[in-house]
Amino acid sequence: MNGPFFINGWIGEEASLIFALFIGIAFGFFLERAGLGSAKKLASQFYGRDMTVFKMMFTAIITAMVGLFWFDYFGWLQLELVYLTPTFVAPQIIGGLVFGVGFIIGGYCPGTSCVAGATGSLDGWVNVIGMLAGILVFGELYPWLESFYNATPMGELTFVDYFNLPAGLMVFILVMIALGGFWLSEKIETKMANKDL
Amino acid sequence: MPFIRKTAEPYWNPYISGIGLGLVLLFTFLVMGRGIGASGAMTSVVATTANVISPQHAQANEFFRGYLGDGTVSPLKDWLVFEVIGVLIGGFLSGIFAGRTSIKIEKGTGISTNRRFQYAFIGGMIMAFGTKLARGCTSGQALTGGALMNVGSWLFMISLFAGAYAMAWFVRRLWI
Amino acid sequence: MKFSLNLKLAFFALTLSLLALIASIFFTDHLPSENISGSNYITVLDLAESIKNRDSITLIDLRSNEDFDQFHIPTAKNLILPELIDDDFNANTKIVLYSEGDSLSSQAFFALKRKGITKIRVLKGGVQDWYNRLLYPRMPKEVPIEDKALANRVKSLSTYFGGRSEFVDEGNPLDYYKNEQSSQPIFRSKLVRMGC
C-alpha cells in the first residue's frame, strides 16, 4: 500500500468525487445510527443527561488516531502528505467559543444538521439556512476580519511536533484521556439522569 | 416496503457508531490524504450563489474567491460538496431503516415551533460564523484534526465544549 | 467473569495504544527498506514556480563550496551533509534538497527524516536537470497542440530565471516534463480543495 492513494496518483480526480459520495453516505449513516440527527439528543450533552456526542466523537477520534499511527508505522500511509489545517491560536479559540454558543442555541453542528434535515427534521433545514446566512455574513465581513483571521499563526503543527514526543506516547496519552472521559461520562449520565434543572 | 418499521429502533451504542465513524475517517485519510468535512460544502454553496447574483461583488471578496477557484471548474464540483450530498443520503437511509425518517420538529416541550425555528436560524448563523473563523467545524476540525493530533483542532474542540457548556444554562428552557 | 462490550472495547483501545507506545519508543527502525517514493520528489518546474512565488521553503545545496560558488539555484543556501545533520531545523520548515544528481540528496533526505524532520522534498535530477531542463530547456520546433500550455510554462519559467530555450528538430523533449508530472503529487487539484 502506498497511501494517500489520491495524492500519490493512484486514483483520479473524478473517481475521488465518487469516493466522496460513498464516504459521505457512511459518515451520515453512522451519525444517524448513534442518534446525532436529533437536536434534543445533541443538546442533552450539555445538560449531562446524554453524553453520546462526546462518546461518539472521541471514539471516532481515537480509532482514526490509533489507525493512523499503525498505518504510518508499517509505511502504508505517508502521514506527512495528509493535509493538516494550519493552527491559528486566537481565531481558533474564539471560533470554538462562538461555535459552541451557536451549537447549543441551534441544536446542531454543520454535519448533524444535514443528517437531521435528511431524516425530516424541519428545524434541521432551518438551521442549515441559518448557517448559509452566517457564512454569507462572514464572507461580507471578511475584509474587516482578515487580520484577526490570520492572527497568531503557528503553521501546520501537531502535538507530536509541539511537545517533541514519540508519536506512540502521544497517542497513548490521548487514548488514556479519552478512556478516562468515557468512564466519567457514564458516571455523569447516571447522576444527572433524573436531576431537574 | 418491508424494511420500513412502524416504531423507531433504539439508537446504536455510541462507541460502536464511533468506531464506525473512526474507520470511515481513517479510510478517507488513506485514500484521499485529507479528512472529512461539512461546513466547506456550505461555503461552496454560498460562494456560488453570491457569484450568480453578483459576480463582480463575489470576485472582489477574497474569502469567496478562495472557494470559487479560477472559474474553469464549477465550485460545486468539489470533494466536500459530493461528500455532504452523501451525508444527506446516508442519514436518510439510516433513518428509513430504523423507522426514524419522518417530518418532525425537534424541540423542548416548553417552546413554540416558531420560537424553535428562530433559535435554529440564529444558532446556525452564530455557529457558521465560529466555523469560518476557526477554519473548520466539528467534522473538519474536531474529528479530522483531532485524529491527526493537530494543535489548533484540539484548541477549537476544547473551546467548543467550553462555549456550549457556558451557554447551556441560559438556554435550558429551549431543551428541557 | 463476564465483561460488558464497552469494557472490552476500552481494553482493545488500551492494548493498541500501549503497543503504539512500545513500538514508537523501542522499535523505531522497523521499516524494511527505505526508498524515496515519487511524492517526495519535486520537479524542477514546481521548484521554479515555488521560488518565483516566494513560497516559504528552505532550499539547500548539498554540493561543495566551489561548485556552489560557480553556480547555484537562486535562494539556495550551501550546506554539506555533515553541516546539514548538525543544523537545527524547525520540524515544520519546508525543505528542498538538491545535489548534482539524486543520490546525495536522497541520502540527506533519510538523514533528516531520522531526525524527525518530515517536510522534505528532493529536487528530481538535481542541479543537472535545473540547468538542462529549466534554464536551457530544449523545445520542439513545432509544439504539438496538446503540449502548448506545458511549453509556455517551461518557456516563461526559463525566461524568468534568465535562461533561454533551444529548439531541436527531432523528438519531443517536452516528454521529460510529462513523465515527471505523473510521479508528482497532485497538490494543485481543482476538485479537491483541502480543509473545510
Side-chain angles (χ1 to χ4, degrees):
Chain A
M1 284 208 287
N2 185 13
F5 301 154
F6 176 73
I7 291 177
N8 285 329
W10 282 23
I11 67 165
E13 296 212 335
E14 307 283 338
S16 79
L17 295 185
I18 308 289
F19 177 74
L21 192 69
F22 284 104
I23 283 296
I25 291 175
F27 181 27
F29 182 86
F30 283 116
L31 284 180
E32 208 287 332
R33 283 286 121 166
L36 299 196
S38 158
K40 276 199 276 190
K41 202 166 170 71
L42 288 162
S44 302
Q45 165 73 37
F46 302 103
Y47 300 100
R49 295 184 169 180
D50 185 335
M51 308 289 275
T52 301
V53 176
F54 174 82
K55 290 186 208 167
M56 182 172 184
M57 219 165 112
F58 276 78
T59 311
I61 288 172
I62 61 171
T63 304
M65 184 169 25
V66 170
L68 281 176
F69 175 85
W70 288 110
F71 278 13
D72 182 51
Y73 188 82
F74 292 119
W76 297 340
L77 173 70
Q78 284 173 286
L79 213 45
E80 65 272 17
L81 292 182
V82 174
Y83 177 80
L84 262 187
T85 308
T87 295
F88 289 82
V89 178
Q92 275 157 353
I93 290 178
I94 301 297
L97 291 170
V98 172
F99 185 99
V101 169
F103 189 173
I104 190 67
I105 293 176
Y108 298 110
C109 64
T112 51
S113 68
C114 292
V115 173
T119 54
S121 293
L122 298 177
D123 49 316
W125 288 116
V126 175
N127 193 255
V128 172
I129 296 165
M131 264 188 285
L132 296 177
I135 292 169
L136 183 67
V137 171
F138 182 87
E140 294 301 324
L141 294 178
Y142 183 76
W144 288 276
L145 292 167
E146 197 177 354
S147 60
F148 180 66
Y149 183 75
N150 291 319
T152 53
M154 292 188 74
E156 294 173 12
L157 185 64
T158 67
F159 283 138
V160 176
D161 298 331
Y162 187 75
F163 294 120
N164 202 11
L165 291 173
L169 177 58
M170 203 61 232
V171 168
F172 181 72
I173 293 171
L174 292 174
V175 170
M176 289 309 285
I177 292 173
L179 292 179
F182 297 151
W183 177 78
L184 203 64
S185 304
E186 302 290 345
K187 290 262 162 206
I188 292 172
E189 272 178 6
T190 336
K191 196 171 157 233
M192 296 294 280
N194 298 308
K195 204 174 156 193
D196 276 326
L197 280 168
Chain B
M1 283 183 280
F3 55 82
I4 297 181
R5 298 197 161 91
K6 289 207 175 65
T7 49
E9 271 181 38
Y11 293 122
W12 278 6
N13 177 329
Y15 302 114
I16 298 287
S17 331
I19 289 172
L21 183 55
L23 293 176
V24 170
L25 182 58
L26 182 60
F27 193 53
T28 315
F29 284 133
L30 179 65
V31 175
M32 292 302 298
R34 58 156 299 149
I36 50 182
S39 61
M42 296 180 190
T43 316
S44 296
V45 171
V46 173
T48 313
T49 316
N51 196 38
V52 168
I53 294 169
S54 170
Q56 277 171 327
H57 182 74
Q59 299 286 349
N61 184 310
E62 200 185 324
F63 178 72
F64 289 140
R65 210 166 49 220
Y67 284 83
L68 289 170
D70 55 7
T72 52
V73 178
S74 161
L76 291 181
K77 195 177 174 186
D78 176 72
W79 199 86
L80 273 179
V81 173
F82 277 69
E83 188 231 76
V84 168
I85 294 170
V87 169
L88 291 170
I89 300 171
F92 177 76
L93 288 178
S94 169
I96 288 276
F97 293 154
R100 288 191 286 262
T101 297
S102 61
I103 302 293
K104 56 185 174 289
I105 293 146
E106 286 263 350
K107 62 183 184 68
T109 43
I111 67 160
S112 69
T113 302
N114 264 344
R115 274 296 236 227
R116 171 67 187 120
F117 281 164
Q118 284 162 16
Y119 279 107
F121 185 84
I122 291 167
M125 272 187 85
I126 298 173
M127 187 169 63
F129 203 86
T131 292
K132 287 296 117 187
L133 205 53
R135 293 172 164 76
C137 55
T138 24
S139 325
Q141 276 281 31
L143 282 178
T144 304
L148 291 165
M149 303 191 261
N150 188 340
V151 175
S153 305
W154 281 80
L155 290 177
F156 169 78
M157 195 155 37
I158 294 164
S159 319
L160 179 170
F161 276 96
Y165 274 109
M167 191 68 191
W169 192 81
F170 299 101
V171 294
R172 64 191 184 286
R173 294 289 164 249
L174 286 178
W175 305 111
I176 297 168
Chain C
M1 210 156 76
K2 214 169 147 31
F3 294 105
S4 73
L5 175 66
N6 289 356
L7 217 58
K8 281 181 198 158
L9 291 176
F11 185 70
F12 186 59
L14 189 69
T15 313
L16 275 181
S17 62
L18 197 62
L19 286 174
L21 172 67
I22 294 166
S24 78
I25 291 177
F26 299 107
F27 301 97
T28 43
D29 290 330
H30 57 285
L31 287 178
S33 66
E34 292 179 305
N35 49 45
I36 299 193
S37 66
S39 48
N40 294 117
Y41 282 117
I42 183 168
T43 61
V44 286
L45 284 187
D46 285 345
L47 176 65
E49 209 131 90
S50 282
I51 298 172
K52 191 179 160 197
N53 296 339
R54 295 170 204 280
D55 290 348
S56 57
I57 50 168
T58 307
L59 182 60
I60 293 168
D61 187 323
L62 293 158
R63 299 171 308 150
S64 66
N65 288 332
E66 298 88 70
D67 286 343
F68 181 82
D69 289 339
Q70 223 167 56
F71 174 79
H72 63 260
I73 300 176
T75 73
K77 161 176 162 188
N78 191 204
L79 282 180
I80 56 170
L81 193 53
E83 291 173 333
L84 177 80
I85 293 168
D86 289 338
D87 215 287
D88 275 325
F89 289 107
N90 183 323
N92 280 307
T93 324
K94 292 188 182 120
I95 298 171
V96 176
L97 301 169
Y98 76 87
S99 54
E100 199 67 33
D102 284 349
S103 60
L104 184 59
S105 44
S106 305
Q107 265 179 29
F109 172 85
F110 290 116
L112 283 184
K113 209 152 187 196
R114 272 189 286 276
K115 282 180 66 186
I117 299 162
T118 51
K119 288 171 188 159
I120 322 164
R121 291 290 162 84
V122 168
L123 178 64
K124 182 90 179 132
V127 77
Q128 289 289 348
D129 276 19
W130 176 270
Y131 194 85
N132 293 322
R133 303 293 184 172
L134 191 103
L135 281 182
Y136 301 102
R138 274 158 298 154
M139 292 276 169
K141 276 210 174 100
E142 303 266 321
V143 180
I145 195 90
E146 68 271 17
D147 292 344
K148 278 272 196 296
L150 179 62
N152 286 337
R153 187 175 170 215
V154 176
K155 269 190 223 158
S156 75
L157 284 171
S158 166
T159 319
Y160 180 85
F161 286 96
R164 135 180 72 76
S165 323
E166 287 159 23
F167 293 92
V168 294
D169 291 322
E170 273 171 50
N172 186 356
L174 287 170
D175 287 340
Y176 163 84
Y177 306 99
K178 281 183 245 162
N179 294 337
E180 292 308 306
Q181 231 67 19
S182 58
S183 67
Q184 252 313 104
I186 310 155
F187 274 137
R188 287 189 209 90
S189 161
K190 277 188 178 148
L191 306 182
V192 184
R193 201 167 24 73
M194 297 299 183
C196 235

